[in-house]
């Protein structure tokens, strides 16, 4: 067995969700759930099929996001994993609960715009996701000024009153 790390290749501000699901039907069900939850959502989805032809199955409403999803799914190559890239102006916060409610979705590893690495174990059979490195390591504890900044930002962008 080998441990490997695959860096998610994406533009800096692009948000994505990485998870695990269990059935080829997931591609259509995730697509339908997203467009039902957020009208006019722009996204690209790719799913690593774990049996049969073992293809990267895909769907989406934005060709650039679909291409990102396909490229990253091929690089990760772990059976039954999926990666969803969101177009500008769409955020994991808007779709995370919807994704979790799709019956085939087993787990969400991360939902972020941070630099991310997927940690994999590779055997003769295939690859397994062990976890993710989401962003950077903390440098210190937030102080009073940092708390004010955080609270101000959340109100500025409309997530708190």
């Amino acid at each position: 067995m080998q441990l490997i790390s695959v860096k998610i290749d994406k533009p800096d501000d692009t948000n994505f969700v990485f998870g695990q699901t269990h059935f080829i039907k997931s591609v259509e069900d995730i697509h339908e759930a997203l467009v039902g939850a957020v009208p006019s959502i722009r996204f690209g989805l790719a799913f690593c099929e774990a049996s049969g032809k073992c293809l990267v199955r895909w769907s989406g409403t934005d060709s650039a996001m679909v291409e990102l999803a396909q490229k990253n799914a091929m690089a990760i190559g772990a059976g039954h994993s999926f990666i969803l890239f969101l177009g500008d102006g769409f955020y994991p916060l808007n779709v995370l609960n919807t994704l979790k409610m799709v019956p085939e979705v087993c787990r969400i590893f991360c939902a972020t715009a941070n630099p991310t690495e997927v940690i994999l174990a590779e055997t003769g059979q295939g690859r397994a996701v062990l976890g993710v490195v989401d962003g950077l390591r903390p440098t210190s504890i937030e102080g009073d000024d940092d708390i004010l900044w955080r609270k101000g930002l959340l109100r500025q962008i409309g997530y708190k009153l």
Side-chain angles (χ1 to χ4, degrees), residues 25-64:
K25 182 175 170 286
S26 303
V27 176
E28 289 180 60
D29 286 356
I30 291 171
H31 183 118
E32 290 168 358
L34 292 171
V35 299
V38 182
S40 302
I41 189 170
R42 293 187 331 274
F43 70 92
L45 169 68
F47 162 75
C48 294
E49 188 176 38
S51 60
K53 290 186 173 183
C54 294
L55 299 173
V56 169
R57 305 287 181 169
W58 61 273
S59 188
T61 61
D62 182 289
S63 60

Side-chain angles (χ1 to χ4, degrees), residues 47-120:
F47 162 75
C48 294
E49 188 176 38
S51 60
K53 290 186 173 183
C54 294
L55 299 173
V56 169
R57 305 287 181 169
W58 61 273
S59 188
T61 61
D62 182 289
S63 60
M65 296 298 105
V66 167
E67 186 177 325
L68 268 178
Q70 291 170 335
K71 179 172 74 170
N72 280 279
M74 281 298 295
I76 294 165
H80 286 163
S81 64
F82 72 90
I83 192 159
L84 167 70
F85 284 91
L86 300 171
D88 288 343
F90 298 95
Y91 303 96
L93 179 65
N94 305 129
V95 298
L96 206 48
N97 282 334
T98 298
L99 284 172
K100 291 177 190 175
M101 295 304 295
V102 173
E104 301 90 38
V105 172
C106 302
R107 104 182 298 179
I108 303 293
F109 293 107
C110 69
T112 187
N114 290 334
T116 305
E117 295 178 62
V118 179
I119 310 303
L120 302 161

Side-chain angles (χ1 to χ4, degrees), residues 2 7-8 11 16 29 45 49 90 123 136 153 155:
Q2 288 185 329
K7 184 179 183 333
I8 299 298
F16 74 97
D29 286 356
L45 169 68
E49 188 176 38
F90 298 95
T123 70
L136 308 173
L153 173 67
R155 281 145 186 84

